[in-house]
């Protein structure tokens, strides 16, 4: 979901729809997301703060915008600023906050350090601030849709792969297994709500083509780094601890 931000600095509000207002020498863009199973607050606001890492509690620039309802993460942001507000010998970071009625629901306490040569496509992971939220927006995640299904990878580490090569299935007793791409393997899954992890796989030792062996290695690495799962329509996504999608799978057609 794209959030349209406005810049706030030196008491001046500059709307992004007026590009002439800024030199636009530097673009800062990226995504804000969180891992908790909590719905975004009603009438929410995304606020991004640019901070000097030596004084992180004193934002130099802030950008904020309303989150359209119903909102969902990741929230994307993009704003332009004159690079004259940033000194080359200083280290800067980004702090992201999701607010409702002036109360912070999510934030990253430690700002994400910015490389001034690569300020686009930044990833900011925020966490719940401890504010009590209604039980209704904290749904219990039922793992049943995940179980007793053979899932086939359609993308590994963001790269599409040939279908019916890399698979996984998880039984009700959490025994897991399938094909890496060349070899069969077995593992044990641990599931708690939307959290998911696998023990190191025990695999057969067949040799296949170089392409299949490479796909299998990346597939096993993705399983090793899995920490969360979610269903997006009919696609199963396995995510790592940073919220990056490592595997996308669909129900096997076989």
């Amino acid at each position: 979901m794209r959030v349209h931000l406005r810049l706030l600095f030196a008491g001046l509000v500059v709307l992004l729809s007026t590009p002439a207002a800024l030199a636009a020498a530097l673009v800062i863009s990226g995504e804000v997301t969180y891992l908790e199973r909590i719905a975004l607050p009603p009438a929410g606001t995304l606020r991004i703060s640019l901070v000097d890492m030596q004084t992180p509690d004193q934002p130099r620039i802030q950008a904020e915008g309303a989150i359209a309802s119903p909102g969902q993460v990741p929230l994307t942001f993009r704003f332009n600023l004159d690079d004259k507000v940033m000194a080359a010998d200083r280290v800067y970071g980004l702090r992201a906050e999701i607010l409702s009625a002036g109360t912070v629901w999510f934030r990253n306490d430690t700002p994400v350090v910015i490389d001034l040569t690569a300020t686009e496509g930044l990833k900011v992971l925020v966490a719940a601030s401890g504010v009590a939220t209604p039980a209704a927006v904290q749904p219990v995640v039922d793992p049943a849709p995940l179980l007793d299904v053979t899932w086939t990878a359609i993308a590994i580490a963001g790269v599409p792969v040939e279908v019916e090569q890399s698979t996984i299935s998880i039984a009700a007793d959490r025994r897991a297994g399938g094909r890496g791409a060349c070899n069969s393997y077995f593992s044990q899954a641990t599931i708690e709500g939307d959290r998911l992890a696998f023990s190191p796989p025990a695999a057969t030792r067949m040799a296949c083509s170089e392409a299949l062996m490479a796909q299998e290695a990346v597939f096993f690495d993705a399983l090793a780094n899995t920490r969360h799962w979610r269903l997006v329509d009919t696609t199963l996504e396995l995510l790592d601890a940073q919220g990056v999608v490592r595997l996308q799978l669909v129900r096997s057609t076989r």
Side-chain angles (χ1 to χ4, degrees), residues 12 48 51-52 74 83 115 122 133 136 139 163 174 178 202 219 239 246:
L12 177 66
I48 305 292
V51 302
D52 186 319
D83 63 0
D115 178 351
L122 303 174
T133 55
V163 297
R174 306 308 193 253
F219 178 75
L239 303 84
R246 290 300 192 98

Side-chain angles (χ1 to χ4, degrees), residues 27-42:
V27 176
I28 299 180
S29 68
E31 293 182 350
V32 176
T33 191
Y34 57 83
L35 302 181
E36 291 91 346
R37 300 296 295 184
I38 302 175
L40 284 170

Side-chain angles (χ1 to χ4, degrees), residues 157 215-226 246:
Q215 177 175 321
E216 181 170 279
V218 179
F219 178 75
F220 284 157
D221 181 70
L223 289 183
N225 285 281
T226 293
R246 290 300 192 98

Side-chain angles (χ1 to χ4, degrees), residues 173-249:
D173 62 2
R174 306 308 193 253
R175 287 180 299 170
R179 295 192 65 82
C182 173
N183 289 281
S184 299
Y185 70 94
F186 302 92
S187 179
Q188 185 73 26
T190 300
I191 308 173
E192 295 180 3
D194 72 328
R195 298 181 182 274
L196 172 63
F198 297 97
S199 65
T204 57
R205 296 182 178 274
M206 293 175 56
C208 297
S209 68
E210 184 176 342
L212 283 181
M213 295 301 288
Q215 177 175 321
E216 181 170 279
V218 179
F219 178 75
F220 284 157
D221 181 70
L223 289 183
N225 285 281
T226 293
R227 295 296 180 269
H228 297 270
W229 69 276
R230 68 186 178 198
L231 282 174
V232 180
D233 295 326
T234 59
T235 300
L236 172 64
E237 294 184 343
L238 304 187
L239 303 84
D240 63 19
Q242 286 70 48
V244 176
V245 176
R246 290 300 192 98
L247 282 172
Q248 291 178 295
L249 310 101

Side-chain angles (χ1 to χ4, degrees), residues 63-192:
E64 64 178 36
I67 301 171
S69 182
Q72 61 183 7
V73 291
L75 303 172
T76 63
F77 63 88
R78 180 183 180 89
F79 57 91
N80 304 328
L81 59 137
D82 188 340
D83 63 0
K84 293 179 182 178
V85 304
M86 304 172 74
D89 60 347
R90 309 291 288 185
V91 178
Y92 295 93
L94 282 187
R95 173 172 286 127
E97 296 170 306
I98 298 173
L99 307 91
S100 178
T103 299
V104 176
W105 281 45
F106 300 91
R107 77 192 305 260
N108 59 319
D109 290 323
T110 302
V112 174
V113 175
I114 300 175
D115 178 351
L116 294 183
T117 65
T119 59
E120 297 195 58
L122 303 174
K123 306 289 186 182
V124 184
L125 182 65
V126 294
S129 66
V131 175
T133 55
V137 299
Q138 299 179 355
V140 175
V141 179
D142 182 3
L146 187 64
L147 307 177
D148 296 320
V149 176
T150 297
W151 298 95
T152 299
I154 57 173
I156 305 174
V159 179
V161 297
E162 186 176 347
V163 297
E164 305 296 345
Q165 296 289 356
S166 300
T167 67
I168 187 168
S169 62
I170 304 173
D173 62 2
R174 306 308 193 253
R175 287 180 299 170
R179 295 192 65 82
C182 173
N183 289 281
S184 299
Y185 70 94
F186 302 92
S187 179
Q188 185 73 26
T190 300
I191 308 173
E192 295 180 3

